[in-house]
Amino acid sequence: MMAGNPSSLSSLSLPCTLHRSFLTLSALTLITFTFLSLKSLRFPLQYSSSDLSLTRQVSGDGDLEELSDVYHSPEVFRLNYAEMEKNFKVYIYPDGDPNTFYQTPRKLTGKYASEGYFFQNIRESKFRTDDPDLAHLFFIPISCHKMRGKGTSYENMTIIVESYVQSLIMKYPYWNRTLGADHFFVTCHDVGVRATEGVPLLVKNSIRVVCSPSYDVGFIPHKDVALPQVLQPFALPAGGNDLENRTTLGFWAGHRNSKIRVILARVWENDTELEIANNRINRATGHLVYQKKFYRMKFCICPGGSQVNSARITDSIHYGCVPVILSNYYDLPFNDILDWQKFSVILKESDVYRLKYILKDIPDEEFVLLHNNLVKVQKHFQWNTPPLKYDAFHMVMYDLWLRHHVIKY
């Protein structure tokens, strides 16, 4: 009966027409969304190709063109870095005992110099703002390194740090907006990590910029930042373009203060192709003997010490010796920016027994490429005062800039 009723046919066709229209609209929306997504992948941060070309012209970063192969995403780095330089602001809490907080830590030399340089650099940089309402992040200026220099025990350090953070929470409204997610502190010395581990508010909530970023002691890669441990000042000039002098396969000398170092020395100290010393080189043997050896080595072995990190890694980079990372659970500095596979050899600690054979199996042309890339990243592992573009300070700030984007309040 319904088939002969024109009004019934009309009433049935209307929903069908609407249904087809809806499907068509959905398909167009999906196509448009896909196109825009692909376009954003090619040119992130809503930059067009013309914007990108202009950025290259006005930035004058011709040296970055040759670095493109050592970055995970060179275009993203260029554009994000430019945005960071233009907009990033950090507020530094002014409160606290001047002998403990917000003072340059003990010194700007030695293997913990990175902490001292950051404190110095943040004060003289354009990222600092005195207006907390303009700040993207808040710096908690805790210098456990300086506390250590005053003979403060770990237990008392924890008490001092916790008391200071609680005073900031009570006095200012900024911590409570994000429960500290937009706050960060910086420590290179192992004692700084140990002292702050006793303050759960810092460990769980704030951004920890540390030289010992080990996954198995609570380091959270998407939140925390790996600080490069740099032994400054470097005793000798940077290495590079000196491949003809690098005739020895590999080198390590140092204290046996970890299991992996004990094994390394025991297995390879008598090898004729690897130069492995089971202790530090005696200074009485000559001036800067240890540092001069870096210039003659193809690979420099960098085993973890009491922590996963070692200043030997940045020594190797500076002197042009390809670092061999021999440390488990190590989130390498700037790992989300730089492709460490392009300028280093990353091994598991269990690979120590096959170390020589792994290095000998690396073709000469691959070693040359690793060495050349290593020279390209040297500037990223150098501290300066005042800070210079793309140096270690700016790379740390860039990592912080990336972290601040995930904070919502």
Side-chain angles (χ1 to χ4, degrees), residues 53-116:
S53 176
L54 180 60
T55 300
R56 285 175 173 167
Q57 292 173 18
V58 300
S59 64
D61 297 333
D63 56 331
L64 281 186
E65 292 294 334
E66 65 175 10
L67 298 182
S68 60
D69 53 348
V70 299
Y71 295 111
H72 291 299
S73 303
E75 304 295 351
V76 172
F77 175 70
R78 288 186 180 92
L79 297 173
N80 268 337
Y81 189 97
E83 186 184 6
M84 175 199 74
E85 282 194 310
K86 181 179 179 181
N87 297 318
F88 196 20
K89 296 299 177 185
V90 172
Y91 179 76
I92 305 172
Y93 283 108
D95 303 69
D97 178 0
N99 293 319
T100 305
F101 308 112
Y102 190 42
Q103 298 290 321
T104 299
R106 281 193 294 167
K107 51 188 177 180
L108 297 179
T109 59
K111 60 183 178 179
Y112 303 118
S114 293
E115 181 177 330

Side-chain angles (χ1 to χ4, degrees), residues 105-107 109-116 119 142-149 152 154 157 185-197 209-213 227-230 306-307 309:
R106 281 193 294 167
K107 51 188 177 180
T109 59
K111 60 183 178 179
Y112 303 118
S114 293
E115 181 177 330
F119 273 67
I142 304 168
S143 177
C144 294
H145 188 196
K146 192 155 189 172
M147 294 185 212
R148 172 68 177 270
T152 309
Y154 293 116
M157 284 185 197
F185 69 92
V186 176
T187 181
C188 190
H189 203 292
D190 299 345
V191 300
V193 176
R194 289 184 59 181
T196 54
E197 280 177 346
V209 184
V210 297
C211 280
S212 51
L227 182 68
Q229 186 174 4
V230 185
S306 56
Q307 297 287 331
N309 55 296

Side-chain angles (χ1 to χ4, degrees), residues 1 19 21 63 82 120 134 169 183 210-211 226 235 261 279 322 324 358 371 386 394:
M1 273 176 75
H19 182 66
S21 299
D63 56 331
Q120 181 78 9
L134 298 178
I169 294 173
H183 285 55
V210 297
C211 280
R261 292 186 177 190
N279 214 322
V322 175
V324 179
I358 292 173
H371 172 79
H394 283 91

Side-chain angles (χ1 to χ4, degrees), residues 87-365:
N87 297 318
F88 196 20
K89 296 299 177 185
V90 172
Y91 179 76
I92 305 172
Y93 283 108
D95 303 69
D97 178 0
N99 293 319
T100 305
F101 308 112
Y102 190 42
Q103 298 290 321
T104 299
R106 281 193 294 167
K107 51 188 177 180
L108 297 179
T109 59
K111 60 183 178 179
Y112 303 118
S114 293
E115 181 177 330
Y117 268 99
F118 186 89
F119 273 67
Q120 181 78 9
N121 287 172
I122 192 70
R123 286 192 302 198
E124 54 194 20
S125 77
K126 61 183 179 182
F127 300 114
R128 181 184 178 185
T129 178
D130 293 325
D131 185 350
D133 292 328
L134 298 178
H136 299 95
L137 293 179
F138 294 78
F139 177 41
I140 305 173
I142 304 168
S143 177
C144 294
H145 188 196
K146 192 155 189 172
M147 294 185 212
R148 172 68 177 270
K150 292 179 174 294
T152 309
S153 68
Y154 293 116
E155 293 75 15
N156 286 337
M157 284 185 197
T158 299
I159 294 172
I160 292 171
V161 171
E162 185 170 24
S163 175
Y164 177 56
V165 173
Q166 289 293 345
S167 70
L168 297 181
I169 294 173
M170 295 294 293
K171 184 174 181 179
Y172 300 93
Y174 312 116
W175 177 283
N176 293 322
R177 295 187 307 185
T178 66
L179 295 180
D182 57 356
H183 285 55
F184 72 95
F185 69 92
V186 176
T187 181
C188 190
H189 203 292
D190 299 345
V191 300
V193 176
R194 289 184 59 181
T196 54
E197 280 177 346
V199 187
L201 287 175
L202 292 178
V203 175
K204 295 180 180 180
N205 295 3
S206 66
I207 302 170
R208 296 188 295 168
V209 184
V210 297
C211 280
S212 51
S214 179
Y215 296 138
D216 61 350
V217 292
F219 184 81
I220 305 172
H222 71 273
K223 175 180 76 70
D224 300 330
V225 174
L227 182 68
Q229 186 174 4
V230 185
L231 181 62
Q232 286 207 208
F234 292 111
L236 295 170
N241 302 316
D242 51 6
L243 291 172
E244 66 281 358
N245 300 326
R246 300 185 180 276
T247 56
T248 303
L249 180 63
F251 167 65
W252 176 78
H255 292 309
R256 291 180 290 176
N257 58 348
S258 66
K259 181 180 178 181
I260 184 60
R261 292 186 177 190
V262 171
I263 297 173
L264 175 66
R266 186 180 72 238
V267 174
W268 298 109
E269 63 180 327
N270 296 318
D271 191 84
T272 57
E273 295 178 276
L274 292 176
E275 189 171 331
I276 305 296
N278 64 4
N279 214 322
R280 287 189 177 274
I281 296 175
N282 192 331
R283 293 181 180 178
T285 59
H287 183 58
L288 299 176
V289 172
Y290 173 76
Q291 290 85 352
K292 290 176 181 177
K293 283 184 177 293
F294 281 85
Y295 293 123
R296 297 191 289 102
M297 304 296 161
K298 295 176 67 176
F299 299 98
C300 287
I301 320 303
C302 303
S306 56
Q307 297 287 331
V308 295
N309 55 296
S310 169
R312 187 174 283 98
I313 296 175
T314 51
D315 277 348
S316 302
I317 293 173
H318 175 75
Y319 293 116
C321 180
V322 175
V324 179
I325 313 299
L326 197 60
S327 184
N328 295 341
Y329 311 114
Y330 187 7
D331 192 83
L332 291 159
F334 319 135
N335 196 33
D336 49 352
I337 308 166
L338 301 174
D339 186 351
W340 279 77
Q341 300 282 357
K342 299 291 183 62
F343 57 90
S344 70
V345 178
I346 303 174
L347 304 177
K348 298 177 182 178
E349 290 185 1
S350 59
D351 291 325
V352 66
Y353 300 99
R354 302 185 300 114
L355 177 62
K356 182 175 76 169
Y357 310 106
I358 292 173
L359 297 182
K360 290 188 70 172
D361 283 343
I362 296 175
D364 289 341
E365 58 270 19

